[in-house]
């Protein structure tokens, strides 16, 4: 059974890591090619969930390290990209970068034991999430988790951006799951790389959640370096992962006044559950 996922220390003097103990940074150092950074979330003692586009098909586990704390880097012994992720899969339709199924799991060489600064985020449709939602056994179904965690309306959520060596900043966003979903998704075609795309469905698939824009609130935008980080929703005092940051329309993350069509797209964790279940079957998470 999963320990206490999505639990934080939020007292006044708590550190950024005590408030976001699931947050990790992934560092890919390719021989003669420099470094690439992404964010990720601890989802079990051995596994980190991130974006598949953080890796190239020929990347190898020894080139990847996971920073679980300031100056604490862990080695990796496995990279598992979603089998349906294929960045070049729709070039024939004018889509230079196709981010469908943009998720990956990174296996650490040694387990990260739960501590005040390291603790997994709750994955929906697991026993740990049911306990964190305080659901009785008969209501502990994946459909019930989805109904509670992803209601069809504008939904408060947040992502975490590293700001400086050991500072983590929560950025509040609104997932457009109600009637604003259509307009949010439609802005995908304003992304310069998608100028030649004919049909919205060629870029935005049912796997995506959409955030950003200025209505009803001005949402911050993710930076490319935020890719792979979790989109988190709160239930009571516990935290759940509903998305993985994938891509955005404009790279305007540090500009204070982004245009209303600057949207960000995230992979919906509920849409990749069969893959998560398969990859994490030995992690004792108790998938429902
Ligand atoms: C967070 C994030 C990731 C990626 Br990958 C980007 N790259 C991109 N988006 C569309 C096509 N390519 C962007 C951009 Cl652009 C803004 N934010 C991004």
């Amino acid at each position: 059974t999963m320990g206490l996922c999505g639990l934080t220390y939020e007292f006044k003097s708590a550190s950024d890591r005590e408030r976001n103990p699931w947050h990790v940074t992934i560092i890919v150092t390719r021989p003669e090619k420099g470094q690439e950074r992404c964010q990720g979330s601890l989802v079990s003692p051995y596994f980190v969930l991130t974006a598949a586009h953080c890796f190239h098909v020929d990347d190898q586990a020894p080139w990847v390290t996971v920073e679980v704390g300031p100056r604490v880097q862990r080695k990796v012994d496995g990279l598992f990209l979603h089998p349906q992720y294929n960045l070049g899969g729709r070039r024939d339709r004018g889509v230079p970068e196709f981010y469908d199924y943009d998720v990956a799991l990174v296996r650490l060489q040694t387990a990260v034991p739960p501590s005040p600064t390291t603790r997994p985020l709750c994955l929906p449709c697991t026993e740990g999430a049911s306990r964190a939602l305080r659901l009785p056994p008969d209501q502990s179904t994946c459909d019930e988790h989805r109904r509670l965690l992803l209601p069809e309306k504008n939904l408060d959520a947040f992502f975490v951006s590293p700001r400086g060596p050991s500072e983590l900043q929560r950025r509040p966003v609104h997932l457009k799951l109600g009637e604003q979903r259509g307009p949010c998704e439609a802005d995908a075609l304003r992304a310069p790389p998608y100028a030649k795309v004919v049909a919205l469905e060629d870029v935005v698939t049912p796997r995506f959640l959409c955030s950003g824009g200025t209505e009803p609130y001005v949402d911050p935008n993710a930076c490319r370096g935020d890719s792979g980080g979790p989109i988190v929703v709160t239930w009571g005092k516990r935290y759940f992962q509903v998305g993985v940051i994938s891509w955005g329309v404009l790279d305007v993350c540090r500009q204070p006044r982004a245009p209303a069509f600057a949207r960000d797209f995230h992979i919906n964790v509920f849409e990749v559950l069969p893959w998560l279940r398969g990859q994490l079957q030995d992690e004792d998470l108790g998938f429902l």
Side-chain angles (χ1 to χ4, degrees):
T1 55
M2 190 61 217
L4 291 170
C5 63
L7 190 73
T8 62
Y9 285 71
E10 305 254 8
F11 44 77
K12 227 177 12 289
S13 56
S15 71
D16 288 353
R17 282 201 173 277
E18 286 170 328
R19 294 172 193 276
N20 307 283
W22 57 79
H23 193 88
V24 300
T25 297
I26 288 146
I27 301 159
V28 188
T29 308
R30 297 184 182 97
E32 288 109 47
K33 288 238 187 80
Q35 229 176 51
E36 182 160 1
R37 279 176 177 243
C38 274
Q39 307 308 311
S41 57
L42 208 53
V43 292
S44 80
Y46 276 102
F47 280 91
V48 165
L49 180 57
T50 185
H53 83 252
C54 299
F55 306 108
H56 297 166
V57 282
D58 53 357
D59 278 345
Q60 295 163 36
W63 303 350
V64 183
T65 57
V66 174
E67 204 166 76
V68 295
R71 298 173 305 287
V72 180
Q73 295 198 7
R74 291 301 185 88
K75 289 183 184 304
V76 161
D77 70 8
L79 296 179
F80 306 94
L81 279 62
H82 194 290
Q84 290 173 263
Y85 169 71
N86 179 0
L87 193 63
R90 289 195 174 173
R91 279 205 195 97
D92 60 318
R93 295 186 225 183
V95 181
E97 302 160 8
F98 183 46
Y99 290 105
D100 202 11
Y101 294 101
D102 184 14
V103 286
L105 281 162
V106 175
R107 192 180 186 284
L108 304 172
Q109 265 183 10
T110 53
V112 175
S115 81
T117 56
T118 57
R119 182 179 296 279
L121 187 50
C122 294
L123 275 182
C125 308
T126 62
E127 283 169 13
S130 274
R131 276 201 300 280
L133 287 166
R134 306 165 71 78
L135 288 177
D138 65 302
Q139 284 170 42
S140 289
T141 65
C142 197
D143 285 346
E144 184 63 11
H145 287 204
R146 190 162 190 165
R147 197 182 65 77
L148 294 172
L149 295 172
L150 278 189
E152 295 196 357
K153 64 181 186 72
N154 278 348
L155 179 67
D156 287 5
F158 68 86
F159 66 90
V160 171
S161 282
R163 286 280 174 272
S166 63
E167 198 188 333
L168 296 172
Q169 188 183 23
R170 283 191 187 175
R171 315 299 307 279
V173 293
H174 300 83
L175 297 177
K176 303 328 187 265
L177 301 167
E179 59 263 22
Q180 287 192 356
R181 176 170 191 163
C184 195
E185 295 185 345
D187 283 333
L189 297 187
R190 310 278 294 258
Y194 299 147
K196 297 194 184 63
V197 173
V198 171
L200 182 62
E201 299 71 39
D202 287 342
V203 166
V204 180
T205 68
R207 262 61 66 193
F208 289 106
L209 300 170
C210 190
S211 69
T214 55
E215 296 301 330
Y217 309 97
V218 177
D219 277 5
N221 288 104
C223 303
R224 285 176 190 274
D226 294 326
S227 293
I231 295 291
V232 184
V233 298
T234 310
W235 186 272
K237 292 190 179 336
R238 303 291 284 276
Y239 296 88
F240 301 81
Q241 178 157 11
V242 296
V244 177
I245 297 176
S246 178
W247 61 279
V249 170
L250 295 176
D251 209 359
V252 289
C253 65
R254 285 193 178 72
Q255 288 172 23
R257 305 215 49 72
F261 63 86
R263 313 287 196 164
D264 290 325
F265 291 81
H266 324 285
I267 296 295
N268 179 345
V269 166
F270 286 94
E271 292 294 326
V272 291
L273 279 167
W275 170 74
L276 284 169
R277 192 188 301 272
Q279 292 297 332
L280 299 171
Q281 60 194 343
D282 300 338
E283 294 305 289
D284 198 17
L285 293 178
F287 277 94
L288 300 180

